[in-house]
PDB file of all heavy atoms in Angstrom:
ATOM      1  N   VAL B1864     103.451 125.519 109.686  1.00 90.00           N
ATOM      2  CA  VAL B1864     104.011 124.176 109.456  1.00 90.00           C
ATOM      3  C   VAL B1864     103.353 123.473 108.277  1.00 90.00           C
ATOM      4  O   VAL B1864     104.051 122.937 107.387  1.00 90.00           O
ATOM      5  CB  VAL B1864     103.902 123.335 110.720  1.00 90.00           C
ATOM      6  CG1 VAL B1864     104.442 121.943 110.482  1.00 90.00           C
ATOM      7  CG2 VAL B1864     104.650 124.011 111.849  1.00 90.00           C
ATOM      8  N   PRO B1865     101.994 123.434 108.186  1.00 90.00           N
ATOM      9  CA  PRO B1865     101.405 122.652 107.083  1.00 90.00           C
ATOM     10  C   PRO B1865     101.836 123.170 105.712  1.00 90.00           C
ATOM     11  O   PRO B1865     102.102 122.351 104.810  1.00 90.00           O
ATOM     12  CB  PRO B1865      99.894 122.860 107.266  1.00 90.00           C
ATOM     13  CG  PRO B1865      99.710 123.339 108.666  1.00 90.00           C
ATOM     14  CD  PRO B1865     100.970 124.045 109.019  1.00 90.00           C
ATOM     15  N   TYR B1866     101.939 124.470 105.573  1.00 93.00           N
ATOM     16  CA  TYR B1866     102.380 125.041 104.280  1.00 93.00           C
ATOM     17  C   TYR B1866     103.796 124.565 103.956  1.00 93.00           C
ATOM     18  O   TYR B1866     104.100 124.043 102.864  1.00 93.00           O
ATOM     19  CB  TYR B1866     102.363 126.562 104.329  1.00 93.00           C
ATOM     20  CG  TYR B1866     103.039 127.223 103.146  1.00 93.00           C
ATOM     21  CD1 TYR B1866     102.407 127.367 101.929  1.00 93.00           C
ATOM     22  CD2 TYR B1866     104.361 127.680 103.243  1.00 93.00           C
ATOM     23  CE1 TYR B1866     103.007 127.938 100.857  1.00 93.00           C
ATOM     24  CE2 TYR B1866     104.986 128.256 102.184  1.00 93.00           C
ATOM     25  CZ  TYR B1866     104.341 128.386 100.964  1.00 93.00           C
ATOM     26  OH  TYR B1866     104.959 128.945  99.915  1.00 93.00           O
ATOM     27  N   PHE B1867     104.711 124.767 104.908  1.00 94.00           N
ATOM     28  CA  PHE B1867     106.113 124.421 104.629  1.00 94.00           C
ATOM     29  C   PHE B1867     106.281 122.924 104.361  1.00 94.00           C
ATOM     30  O   PHE B1867     107.042 122.516 103.473  1.00 94.00           O
ATOM     31  CB  PHE B1867     107.007 124.879 105.779  1.00 94.00           C
ATOM     32  CG  PHE B1867     107.150 126.361 105.905  1.00 94.00           C
ATOM     33  CD1 PHE B1867     106.530 127.043 106.909  1.00 94.00           C
ATOM     34  CD2 PHE B1867     107.889 127.021 104.971  1.00 94.00           C
ATOM     35  CE1 PHE B1867     106.680 128.437 106.969  1.00 94.00           C
ATOM     36  CE2 PHE B1867     108.059 128.409 105.036  1.00 94.00           C
ATOM     37  CZ  PHE B1867     107.437 129.105 106.032  1.00 94.00           C
ATOM     38  N   ASN B1868     105.590 122.116 105.164  1.00 92.00           N
ATOM     39  CA  ASN B1868     105.729 120.663 104.951  1.00 92.00           C
ATOM     40  C   ASN B1868     105.245 120.298 103.550  1.00 92.00           C
ATOM     41  O   ASN B1868     105.893 119.506 102.838  1.00 92.00           O
ATOM     42  CB  ASN B1868     104.934 119.889 105.979  1.00 92.00           C
ATOM     43  CG  ASN B1868     105.695 119.756 107.299  1.00 92.00           C
ATOM     44  OD1 ASN B1868     106.931 120.053 107.331  1.00 92.00           O
ATOM     45  ND2 ASN B1868     105.050 119.316 108.338  1.00 92.00           N
ATOM     46  N   ARG B1869     104.102 120.861 103.127  1.00 92.00           N
ATOM     47  CA  ARG B1869     103.556 120.468 101.859  1.00 92.00           C
ATOM     48  C   ARG B1869     104.443 120.961 100.703  1.00 92.00           C
ATOM     49  O   ARG B1869     104.663 120.233  99.744  1.00 92.00           O
ATOM     50  CB  ARG B1869     102.153 121.077 101.705  1.00 92.00           C
ATOM     51  CG  ARG B1869     101.346 120.391 100.618  1.00 92.00           C
ATOM     52  CD  ARG B1869      99.941 120.964 100.509  1.00 92.00           C
ATOM     53  NE  ARG B1869      99.236 120.957 101.777  1.00 92.00           N
ATOM     54  CZ  ARG B1869      98.107 121.613 101.990  1.00 92.00           C
ATOM     55  NH1 ARG B1869      97.566 122.344 101.005  1.00 92.00           N
ATOM     56  NH2 ARG B1869      97.495 121.573 103.143  1.00 92.00           N
ATOM     57  N   MET B1870     104.970 122.176 100.804  1.00 93.00           N
ATOM     58  CA  MET B1870     105.747 122.710  99.702  1.00 93.00           C
ATOM     59  C   MET B1870     107.143 122.137  99.646  1.00 93.00           C
ATOM     60  O   MET B1870     107.699 121.969  98.548  1.00 93.00           O
ATOM     61  CB  MET B1870     105.860 124.257  99.856  1.00 93.00           C
ATOM     62  CG  MET B1870     104.573 124.975  99.685  1.00 93.00           C
ATOM     63  SD  MET B1870     103.765 124.677  98.088  1.00 93.00           S
ATOM     64  CE  MET B1870     104.534 125.914  97.087  1.00 93.00           C
ATOM     65  N   THR B1871     107.751 121.853 100.796  1.00 93.00           N
ATOM     66  CA  THR B1871     109.133 121.376 100.716  1.00 93.00           C
ATOM     67  C   THR B1871     109.219 119.869 100.510  1.00 93.00           C
ATOM     68  O   THR B1871     110.283 119.387 100.144  1.00 93.00           O
ATOM     69  CB  THR B1871     109.892 121.751 102.014  1.00 93.00           C
ATOM     70  OG1 THR B1871     109.218 121.202 103.113  1.00 93.00           O
ATOM     71  CG2 THR B1871     109.987 123.242 102.154  1.00 93.00           C
ATOM     72  N   MET B1872     108.142 119.146 100.756  1.00 94.00           N
ATOM     73  CA  MET B1872     108.195 117.692 100.615  1.00 94.00           C
ATOM     74  C   MET B1872     108.651 117.236  99.213  1.00 94.00           C
ATOM     75  O   MET B1872     109.585 116.486  99.096  1.00 94.00           O
ATOM     76  CB  MET B1872     106.857 117.075 101.047  1.00 94.00           C
ATOM     77  CG  MET B1872     106.835 115.618 101.200  1.00 94.00           C
ATOM     78  SD  MET B1872     106.070 114.813  99.842  1.00 94.00           S
ATOM     79  CE  MET B1872     104.351 115.249 100.111  1.00 94.00           C
ATOM     80  N   PRO B1873     107.974 117.766  98.147  1.00 94.00           N
ATOM     81  CA  PRO B1873     108.441 117.316  96.817  1.00 94.00           C
ATOM     82  C   PRO B1873     109.913 117.719  96.540  1.00 94.00           C
ATOM     83  O   PRO B1873     110.655 116.952  95.928  1.00 94.00           O
ATOM     84  CB  PRO B1873     107.488 117.998  95.847  1.00 94.00           C
ATOM     85  CG  PRO B1873     106.654 118.946  96.631  1.00 94.00           C
ATOM     86  CD  PRO B1873     106.803 118.617  98.054  1.00 94.00           C
ATOM     87  N   ILE B1874     110.285 118.912  97.014  1.00 95.00           N
ATOM     88  CA  ILE B1874     111.681 119.334  96.756  1.00 95.00           C
ATOM     89  C   ILE B1874     112.626 118.383  97.501  1.00 95.00           C
ATOM     90  O   ILE B1874     113.642 117.962  96.967  1.00 95.00           O
ATOM     91  CB  ILE B1874     111.865 120.776  97.263  1.00 95.00           C
ATOM     92  CG1 ILE B1874     110.904 121.703  96.497  1.00 95.00           C
ATOM     93  CG2 ILE B1874     113.312 121.225  97.047  1.00 95.00           C
ATOM     94  CD1 ILE B1874     111.007 123.157  96.965  1.00 95.00           C
ATOM     95  N   GLY B1875     112.293 118.074  98.766  1.00 95.00           N
ATOM     96  CA  GLY B1875     113.133 117.208  99.535  1.00 95.00           C
ATOM     97  C   GLY B1875     113.246 115.841  98.884  1.00 95.00           C
ATOM     98  O   GLY B1875     114.352 115.272  98.803  1.00 95.00           O
ATOM     99  N   LEU B1876     112.144 115.302  98.392  1.00 96.00           N
ATOM    100  CA  LEU B1876     112.183 113.972  97.783  1.00 96.00           C
ATOM    101  C   LEU B1876     113.062 113.992  96.525  1.00 96.00           C
ATOM    102  O   LEU B1876     113.851 113.093  96.286  1.00 96.00           O
ATOM    103  CB  LEU B1876     110.766 113.485  97.423  1.00 96.00           C
ATOM    104  CG  LEU B1876     109.868 113.136  98.636  1.00 96.00           C
ATOM    105  CD1 LEU B1876     108.519 112.677  98.155  1.00 96.00           C
ATOM    106  CD2 LEU B1876     110.521 112.102  99.507  1.00 96.00           C
ATOM    107  N   THR B1877     112.913 115.060  95.713  1.00 95.00           N
ATOM    108  CA  THR B1877     113.721 115.139  94.481  1.00 95.00           C
ATOM    109  C   THR B1877     115.198 115.292  94.853  1.00 95.00           C
ATOM    110  O   THR B1877     116.054 114.693  94.185  1.00 95.00           O
ATOM    111  CB  THR B1877     113.272 116.387  93.651  1.00 95.00           C
ATOM    112  OG1 THR B1877     111.874 116.450  93.674  1.00 95.00           O
ATOM    113  CG2 THR B1877     113.748 116.209  92.243  1.00 95.00           C
ATOM    114  N   LEU B1878     115.496 116.027  95.916  1.00 96.00           N
ATOM    115  CA  LEU B1878     116.887 116.130  96.359  1.00 96.00           C
ATOM    116  C   LEU B1878     117.438 114.774  96.769  1.00 96.00           C
ATOM    117  O   LEU B1878     118.577 114.431  96.478  1.00 96.00           O
ATOM    118  CB  LEU B1878     117.022 117.138  97.501  1.00 96.00           C
ATOM    119  CG  LEU B1878     117.082 118.611  97.078  1.00 96.00           C
ATOM    120  CD1 LEU B1878     117.003 119.522  98.306  1.00 96.00           C
ATOM    121  CD2 LEU B1878     118.351 118.899  96.300  1.00 96.00           C
ATOM    122  N   LEU B1879     116.626 113.992  97.461  1.00 95.00           N
ATOM    123  CA  LEU B1879     117.076 112.646  97.854  1.00 95.00           C
ATOM    124  C   LEU B1879     117.377 111.822  96.596  1.00 95.00           C
ATOM    125  O   LEU B1879     118.396 111.099  96.570  1.00 95.00           O
ATOM    126  CB  LEU B1879     115.989 111.937  98.674  1.00 95.00           C
ATOM    127  CG  LEU B1879     115.929 112.187 100.171  1.00 95.00           C
ATOM    128  CD1 LEU B1879     114.789 111.400 100.788  1.00 95.00           C
ATOM    129  CD2 LEU B1879     117.255 111.814 100.829  1.00 95.00           C
ATOM    130  N   PHE B1880     116.528 111.953  95.579  1.00 95.00           N
ATOM    131  CA  PHE B1880     116.741 111.224  94.354  1.00 95.00           C
ATOM    132  C   PHE B1880     118.065 111.638  93.709  1.00 95.00           C
ATOM    133  O   PHE B1880     118.878 110.799  93.339  1.00 95.00           O
ATOM    134  CB  PHE B1880     115.550 111.455  93.396  1.00 95.00           C
ATOM    135  CG  PHE B1880     115.713 110.786  92.077  1.00 95.00           C
ATOM    136  CD1 PHE B1880     115.599 109.412  91.949  1.00 95.00           C
ATOM    137  CD2 PHE B1880     116.009 111.531  90.933  1.00 95.00           C
ATOM    138  CE1 PHE B1880     115.763 108.798  90.741  1.00 95.00           C
ATOM    139  CE2 PHE B1880     116.162 110.915  89.694  1.00 95.00           C
ATOM    140  CZ  PHE B1880     116.044 109.545  89.609  1.00 95.00           C
ATOM    141  N   LEU B1881     118.291 112.937  93.669  1.00 94.00           N
ATOM    142  CA  LEU B1881     119.545 113.422  93.097  1.00 94.00           C
ATOM    143  C   LEU B1881     120.746 112.936  93.913  1.00 94.00           C
ATOM    144  O   LEU B1881     121.796 112.611  93.360  1.00 94.00           O
ATOM    145  CB  LEU B1881     119.557 114.953  93.137  1.00 94.00           C
ATOM    146  CG  LEU B1881     119.028 115.706  91.941  1.00 94.00           C
ATOM    147  CD1 LEU B1881     119.254 117.187  92.118  1.00 94.00           C
ATOM    148  CD2 LEU B1881     119.768 115.245  90.678  1.00 94.00           C
ATOM    149  N   MET B1882     120.546 112.920  95.226  1.00 94.00           N
ATOM    150  CA  MET B1882     121.629 112.452  96.103  1.00 94.00           C
ATOM    151  C   MET B1882     122.003 111.018  95.801  1.00 94.00           C
ATOM    152  O   MET B1882     123.136 110.589  96.006  1.00 94.00           O
ATOM    153  CB  MET B1882     121.154 112.542  97.549  1.00 94.00           C
ATOM    154  CG  MET B1882     121.959 113.407  98.430  1.00 94.00           C
ATOM    155  SD  MET B1882     121.066 113.639  99.929  1.00 94.00           S
ATOM    156  CE  MET B1882     121.849 112.438 100.929  1.00 94.00           C
ATOM    157  N   ALA B1883     121.010 110.302  95.295  1.00 94.00           N
ATOM    158  CA  ALA B1883     121.262 108.883  94.979  1.00 94.00           C
ATOM    159  C   ALA B1883     122.040 108.759  93.677  1.00 94.00           C
ATOM    160  O   ALA B1883     122.960 107.968  93.576  1.00 94.00           O
ATOM    161  CB  ALA B1883     119.940 108.114  94.901  1.00 94.00           C
ATOM    162  N   ILE B1884     121.654 109.546  92.677  1.00 92.00           N
ATOM    163  CA  ILE B1884     122.324 109.324  91.375  1.00 92.00           C
ATOM    164  C   ILE B1884     123.542 110.169  91.134  1.00 92.00           C
ATOM    165  O   ILE B1884     124.460 109.773  90.481  1.00 92.00           O
ATOM    166  CB  ILE B1884     121.356 109.457  90.188  1.00 92.00           C
ATOM    167  CG1 ILE B1884     120.760 110.854  90.140  1.00 92.00           C
ATOM    168  CG2 ILE B1884     120.251 108.432  90.230  1.00 92.00           C
ATOM    169  CD1 ILE B1884     120.095 111.142  88.805  1.00 92.00           C
ATOM    170  N   ALA B1885     123.607 111.376  91.736  1.00 92.00           N
ATOM    171  CA  ALA B1885     124.741 112.295  91.437  1.00 92.00           C
ATOM    172  C   ALA B1885     126.089 111.695  91.788  1.00 92.00           C
ATOM    173  O   ALA B1885     127.019 111.840  90.974  1.00 92.00           O
ATOM    174  CB  ALA B1885     124.529 113.620  92.136  1.00 92.00           C
ATOM    175  N   PRO B1886     126.245 111.034  92.919  1.00 91.00           N
ATOM    176  CA  PRO B1886     127.594 110.604  93.284  1.00 91.00           C
ATOM    177  C   PRO B1886     128.183 109.587  92.293  1.00 91.00           C
ATOM    178  O   PRO B1886     129.411 109.480  92.176  1.00 91.00           O
ATOM    179  CB  PRO B1886     127.454 109.940  94.661  1.00 91.00           C
ATOM    180  CG  PRO B1886     126.228 110.558  95.224  1.00 91.00           C
ATOM    181  CD  PRO B1886     125.313 110.817  94.044  1.00 91.00           C
ATOM    182  N   VAL B1887     127.341 108.833  91.596  1.00 91.00           N
ATOM    183  CA  VAL B1887     127.917 107.817  90.679  1.00 91.00           C
ATOM    184  C   VAL B1887     128.061 108.377  89.272  1.00 91.00           C
ATOM    185  O   VAL B1887     128.553 107.727  88.389  1.00 91.00           O
ATOM    186  CB  VAL B1887     127.045 106.550  90.634  1.00 91.00           C
ATOM    187  CG1 VAL B1887     126.781 106.056  92.038  1.00 91.00           C
ATOM    188  CG2 VAL B1887     125.729 106.796  89.891  1.00 91.00           C
ATOM    189  N   LEU B1888     127.578 109.615  89.045  1.00 90.00           N
ATOM    190  CA  LEU B1888     127.666 110.179  87.705  1.00 90.00           C
ATOM    191  C   LEU B1888     129.081 110.611  87.447  1.00 90.00           C
ATOM    192  O   LEU B1888     129.711 111.265  88.274  1.00 90.00           O
ATOM    193  CB  LEU B1888     126.712 111.383  87.541  1.00 90.00           C
ATOM    194  CG  LEU B1888     125.251 111.097  87.370  1.00 90.00           C
ATOM    195  CD1 LEU B1888     124.475 112.392  87.368  1.00 90.00           C
ATOM    196  CD2 LEU B1888     125.025 110.375  86.034  1.00 90.00           C
ATOM    197  N   PRO B1889     129.624 110.365  86.226  1.00 89.00           N
ATOM    198  CA  PRO B1889     130.920 110.887  85.884  1.00 89.00           C
ATOM    199  C   PRO B1889     130.785 112.344  85.420  1.00 89.00           C
ATOM    200  O   PRO B1889     129.697 112.815  85.126  1.00 89.00           O
ATOM    201  CB  PRO B1889     131.368 110.006  84.738  1.00 89.00           C
ATOM    202  CG  PRO B1889     130.095 109.609  84.081  1.00 89.00           C
ATOM    203  CD  PRO B1889     129.065 109.527  85.177  1.00 89.00           C
TER     204      PRO B1889
END
Side-chain angles (χ1 to χ4, degrees):
Chain B
V1864 179
Y1866 169 82
F1867 289 107
N1868 278 348
R1869 197 179 306 167
M1870 293 302 274
T1871 56
M1872 191 255 290
I1874 301 178
L1876 291 181
T1877 320
L1878 278 172
L1879 274 180
F1880 177 72
L1881 269 185
M1882 239 168 99
I1884 60 165
V1887 308
L1888 282 175

